[in-house]
Amino acid sequence: MSRYAPVGGRLFTGPFILFSILALIGIVFIIERFIFGLGAVTNLNNGYPWGLWVVVDIVIGTAFACGGFALALAIYVANKGEYHPLMRPALLGSLLGYALGGGAAFVDMGRYWNFYQVFNPSVINLSSVMLEVALCVFAYIVVLAIEFSPTVLERFGARNAKRALGRVLFVFIALGILLPTMHQSSLGSLLVSLGHKVDPLWQAYEMLPLLFLLSAITMGFSIVVFEGSLSSLRFRTTGERPLLEKLGPIIVGMLVAYLVVRFGQLLLSGSLGRAFAGDTRSLAFWIENLLYLVPVVVLASAGMRRKPQALFLAAISMLLAASVYRINAFLVGFNPPPGYQYFPSVTELLVTVGMISIEVVIFLYVIKRFPVLHRAEQAA
C-alpha cells in the first residue's frame, strides 16, 4: 500500500470557490492584455524594465517555489531521508510556482509571439543573464514535471511505468538541484548588471548571486513549514510537526548566514550608513531585515518550535522578509531615468492575484484527488 493518499472530501469548498472566482477575474484581464496590449492593463513605462508581474510572479514566485529544491538539498545532499514525507507537496508547490513564473513571463513579454526565439541558436545572446534564467526556468519546469510524475502514475495505477521511471529518476533529482542553483543566483546577477541604477543598500555586486541563492533556499524551507503548519492548524494533524521542528535549526543557520553576508557586504562597501538616512528606502531596509530576525528568534527556541502557531508565524515572517527584499531590490531601490514613476494599476494587481489563485485552485484539486500528502499527515 502506498505511503501517500489523496485528502479526499468535497472539492467545491468556500476557499476553492473564492480562489476560482479570483482566477477567472485574472484570466479576463489577461485576455484583455493579449488583445489590446500591455498598456491596456498595466502602468509599465520605458523607465522601468520590469514591474509587478516580473517581481512578484517571477522573482518572488519562483523563490516561493523552491520548496522542492530546499528539501532536495536536505534529503539527497545532506542525506536527511527523514524529511522525505514532505517531498511530494513541496514538488507540487514548486511545479505550480515555476509554471506560474513561466506564464507570467509570457504575459509580460511585449512581443510574446516571438517567445520561441529563446530556443533559436541563431539569434540568442549568450552574454544575456536573462537567457540563462529563461532556459533554466524552462528546463526546471520540465524536470519538476518528471519528478512529480510518479504521483500521477500512482494515481492511475501505472505501476510498471512508475517502476521504470524510478530507475532513472536520480538524474532528474540531480538536475533539480543544479538548475535552481543556477537561475536563482542569476536573478541576483540581473541587479549586478544594473550597476548604479540600484541603491547601494541593495547593490551588493559580487555578493548578489549568493544573497539571492541563500534567500531562495530559506524561502523554500519556509514554504514547506508554512504548508505543514497550516495543515496542522487547519486539520489538527501532528504527523509532520516533528519534521517541521527539526527543520528549525537548519533554517536558523541559513538565515544567520544570509544576514552575516548581507550586513558584512554593506559594512565592507561602506554603504551601511545609508540604512540610517531616515528616508523611505532606509525604512524599507529595516522592515525587510527585522522580518528576517523574527524567525531567527522563534525557531532558535526548541519550545517555540513545538507550537504550530509559532511555526506558522515564523514561516509567514520569512516569506514576507524575502519578498520585501526582492521588492526593495527590484522596485523600491531602483533609480529610473528622470521623469519616470511606476505604481502598479488595479488591473495589474488583479492579474497577479488571478495567477496566484490559479495555482491555489490547482493545488487544492491535486491534493484532494492525487496521492500527494503522506498518510500520517491526513486529516482525521
Side-chain angles (χ1 to χ4, degrees):
M1 185 169 57
S2 172
R3 296 174 297 168
Y4 300 90
V7 172
R10 188 163 55 95
L11 181 62
F12 290 96
T13 59
F16 187 89
I17 293 171
L18 172 62
F19 283 111
S20 296
I21 292 171
L22 292 173
L24 288 173
I25 292 172
I27 290 171
V28 168
F29 288 113
I30 290 173
I31 293 171
E32 182 181 357
R33 172 265 176 275
F34 284 121
I35 294 175
F36 299 106
L38 285 169
V41 292
T42 79
N43 283 341
L44 290 169
N45 55 62
N46 291 333
Y48 280 81
W50 38 65
L52 182 74
W53 294 343
V54 169
V55 176
V56 174
D57 298 341
I58 301 176
V59 179
I60 294 175
T62 58
F64 268 25
C66 280
F69 169 49
L71 281 181
L73 290 173
I75 295 169
Y76 302 110
V77 177
N79 199 29
K80 301 292 184 179
E82 60 188 316
Y83 298 119
H84 208 281
L86 303 173
M87 196 65 190
R88 281 193 180 183
L91 280 175
L92 175 59
S94 295
L95 176 58
L96 294 176
Y98 270 92
L100 167 69
F106 185 71
V107 170
D108 193 68
M109 289 179 191
R111 299 180 179 182
Y112 57 87
W113 54 87
N114 283 328
F115 79 95
Y116 68 92
Q117 297 287 9
V118 74
F119 306 108
N120 184 353
S122 65
V123 299
I124 59 176
N125 178 8
L126 295 177
S127 300
S128 170
V129 176
M130 284 298 293
L131 173 68
E132 192 270 343
V133 171
L135 292 177
C136 276
V137 168
F138 174 79
Y140 191 44
I141 292 172
V142 174
V143 167
L144 284 169
I146 294 172
E147 286 186 296
F148 188 71
S149 61
T151 304
V152 179
L153 295 174
E154 184 177 313
R155 167 66 177 79
F156 293 105
R159 296 178 181 177
N160 291 335
K162 181 185 174 185
R163 193 178 301 113
L165 179 61
R167 298 190 185 101
V168 296
L169 200 58
F170 70 93
V171 175
F172 298 100
I173 291 171
L175 288 172
I177 294 173
L178 174 65
L179 292 171
T181 303
M182 294 171 63
H183 66 252
Q184 288 297 334
S185 59
S186 292
L187 289 175
S189 299
L190 281 177
L191 292 181
V192 175
S193 65
L194 290 176
H196 67 277
K197 288 184 177 292
V198 178
D199 189 281
L201 281 174
W202 294 280
Q203 183 52 279
Y205 291 106
E206 68 277 359
M207 288 291 104
L208 272 170
L210 177 59
L211 286 169
F212 266 72
L213 179 60
L214 287 174
S215 63
I217 294 173
T218 58
M219 286 180 83
F221 280 124
S222 65
I223 201 68
V224 171
V225 175
F226 172 80
E227 291 172 351
S229 57
L230 185 61
S231 174
S232 295
L233 292 170
R234 171 64 179 83
F235 299 116
R236 301 291 189 268
T237 58
T238 59
E240 64 182 5
R241 195 182 304 166
L243 297 179
L244 300 178
E245 291 174 20
K246 290 181 180 181
L247 282 176
I250 298 174
I251 297 172
V252 170
M254 295 296 302
L255 290 172
V256 170
Y258 167 84
L259 290 171
V260 168
V261 175
R262 181 85 165 94
F263 281 87
Q265 185 276 327
L266 289 172
L267 186 63
L268 292 175
S269 67
S271 301
L272 189 57
R274 281 282 299 115
F276 304 96
D279 56 8
T280 301
R281 288 178 175 176
S282 61
L283 176 62
F285 170 84
W286 286 115
I287 291 173
E288 163 198 323
N289 287 286
L290 286 173
L291 285 168
Y292 269 119
L293 284 177
V294 172
V296 172
V297 173
V298 172
L299 296 177
S301 167
M304 293 292 284
R305 291 199 301 272
R306 295 191 187 98
K307 302 177 181 178
Q309 295 86 348
L311 285 173
F312 186 73
L313 171 64
I316 288 289
S317 187
M318 279 187 288
L319 293 173
L320 285 174
S323 299
V324 173
Y325 170 59
R326 283 163 165 72
I327 290 172
N328 286 344
F330 278 87
L331 291 177
V332 176
F334 180 71
N335 298 309
Y340 286 101
Q341 292 182 331
Y342 168 77
F343 192 83
S345 66
V346 173
T347 47
E348 246 176 302
L349 290 167
L350 289 173
V351 168
T352 295
V353 171
M355 296 190 74
I356 294 171
S357 297
I358 292 171
E359 180 182 352
V360 174
V361 167
I362 296 173
F363 186 89
L364 290 174
Y365 173 81
V366 173
I367 65 170
K368 289 190 174 186
R369 296 294 182 263
F370 288 77
V372 174
L373 296 185
H374 199 261
R375 285 183 179 273
E377 301 164 16
Q378 303 303 309

